Structures are given as structure tokens and as C-alpha cells.
Amino acid sequence: MNRIAFIGLGNMGAPMALNLAKAGHALVVYDLLPAGVAQLTTAGAQSAGSAKEAVAGADIVITMLPASQHVEGLYLGEDLLAHIDPKALVIDCSTIAPEAARKVAAAAQARGISMLDAPVSGGTAGAAAGTLTFIVGGDAGALARGRPVLEQMGRNVFHAGPAGSGQVAKICNNMLLGVLMAGTAEALALGVANGLDPKVLSEIIAKSSGRNWATEVYNPWPGVMDNVPASRGYAGGFGTDLMLKDLGLASEAAVATRSSTPLGALARNLYAMHSAGGHGKLDFSSIVRLFKGGD
């Protein structure tokens, strides 16, 4: 088994790391907040006092951080790369700007270190169940080396292309997800306002041409589905502010390539309004509150 350093134990990182611990890897973990670390040490992982301490002697380094500035700050600002064995494989699972991923990967390559950008799709439920989808950018040989570890955290591993490609594919997916969730929320709110039962309407949509991931596995209306954020006050899951961040990344990519993304821009504005209303920490499916009113 590998000696793995895992840095970033938030809503996604902690369950991902737990699956690696269950697989029997020698796991060393680090996070700025103690809660995630405690959860992992209970599962048998070793805690480190710093990121630099965590990566010492690691065969594989995995990071799951909130945004581009955190990834660049860790690998470049704190010069974590200087403390990683050149024979190690680095896998960053954060969702960040493609240019940031390419910048850090180039710095790693300059030190002889192989690095993959491998953002994930599947949410916290997928992270806990080990059914995530990994969308990978980087060298095919490095991916072949990292694939067995990724497959212990996920069900699907896609090679999108060279460094940064994983991030491009991920922001395209999340832009579409933001549009679909907002559209689903709007349709449900319209139906309920006109006297329909939200569960019945959801069942109809799920078997009709409007079907999508939100209606099938992540319904935004409270009480329609069990074990989704909508049925626990929108706690946990994928935060509104994180969706807003990803829609911002999509917007930046569109500007850089002069691409037209009017629906993505509209979704970004809707999530910005929702966040400004005090819902930034709630799951992104809480966007339904923007349309239903009353809470």
C-alpha cells in the first residue's frame, strides 16, 4: 500500500480520505480545522502538524482545497513542492481555474514531480460512498499510476487531456449543473404555486423530457427526497458559495476564449443574489428559496 498525504479535510476531503484509510493505505492527514483531522485519526490515519510535515516521505500527495488561491498559496506560496519527493505523484482534486492548475503543474514539472489536476463530481454522498467521478488533466502515464488510488475513492475516472483539462471539463459540467438546478427549482416553484404537489410534479418530470440529475437524485424541494440537503435544512452538501465560485470560473473561461455563455451568466447572477440573501453556506439546491419565497 502507498503512503499517502491528504491535505484538506472538508465536506468532500474527509470522506474521500476515509475511503483511502479503509483501503489500508498509510495515511497522513492535515487540515487547518481540527474536526476533519479528528475524524480521520479515529479511522487510523496519522495527523501532521503542518502540510510540509504531512508530505514528508509520501508516495502520493492529494489535496482538496476551496479555491485557486489556496492551491497556489500552498504549492507555490508556501513552496510545498520543495518538500515533496520528486518520485511522488501529486493529485489536486480541488476545483480551480485551469490557468492556476497549469501554473502549479508547470512548477511541479520543473522539480521533476508528476502532477494531475483531478476535480471531482458526485457531491458529498458520492464522496462518502466512494462513487465519485474524477475528471483528470495531466500526463497519461501519471494517471495510470494514480488510477488505482482514484478508483478507491470513485467509480469513474476520465482523462480529459493535458494539465488543466480536468478543470476545464469540471467547470463546464458545473456550469450546466447550476443552470439545471436553478431551472428545476423554478419549475417546481411554479407548479406548487399553481396547486401541484411537489413530489408528484417531481415524479412526472423525472419520467418526462425535463428529467435531470436534480429531479432524479438531488431534488431541491424539502420533503420530496430522503437523504438530500433539501430534507435537512440544506445543511452539508455543495455550498451555494462554492457553486457561485465555479460559475465565476466558467465566466472567466468564457471571457478568455470569447465564448458565449448567457445561461451560465444568468445562473451566476441568480446564485449571487441567493448568496447575498444570506444563503451562501447552505447547499446550492437551496436556490429554490429564491423562487418559492416565504423562508
Side-chain angles (χ1 to χ4, degrees), residues 196-270:
L196 293 182
D197 182 312
K199 188 169 186 177
V200 172
L201 178 56
S202 295
E203 290 172 352
I204 291 168
I205 294 173
K207 299 298 182 182
S208 304
S209 55
R211 63 184 296 189
N212 64 75
W213 184 80
T215 59
E216 293 179 357
V217 300
Y218 211 87
N219 198 288
W221 202 276
V224 171
M225 279 184 181
D226 296 329
N227 302 317
V228 296
S231 293
R232 53 175 186 266
Y234 301 102
F238 182 63
T240 292
D241 283 346
L242 289 176
M243 173 54 79
L244 182 57
K245 179 206 75 171
D246 289 357
L247 290 167
L249 291 174
S251 179
E252 291 170 9
V255 170
T257 55
R258 297 185 179 181
S259 300
S260 177
T261 56
L263 294 179
L266 176 57
R268 183 187 183 192
N269 286 338
L270 291 172

Side-chain angles (χ1 to χ4, degrees), residues 62-134:
I62 301 175
T63 46
M64 175 58 97
L65 303 174
S68 300
Q69 63 266 31
H70 303 102
V71 175
E72 290 192 48
L74 178 65
Y75 285 107
L76 305 181
E78 297 182 30
D79 199 17
L80 186 66
L81 292 171
H83 298 266
I84 297 174
D85 188 324
K87 296 188 294 292
L89 173 64
V90 176
I91 305 174
D92 180 46
C93 295
S94 318
T95 297
I96 61 175
E99 277 308 307
R102 295 183 188 112
K103 181 179 179 181
V104 177
Q109 185 178 26
R111 292 183 177 274
I113 300 170
S114 295
M115 184 169 188
L116 300 170
D117 52 281
V120 303
S121 180
T124 52
T131 58
L132 292 171
T133 293
F134 287 89

Side-chain angles (χ1 to χ4, degrees), residues 8-33:
L9 303 170
N11 288 340
M12 292 294 293
M16 290 167 65
L18 278 170
N19 283 325
L20 294 179
K22 292 174 184 175
H25 294 285
L27 197 64
V28 183
V29 298
Y30 175 73
D31 193 278
L32 292 173
L33 301 176

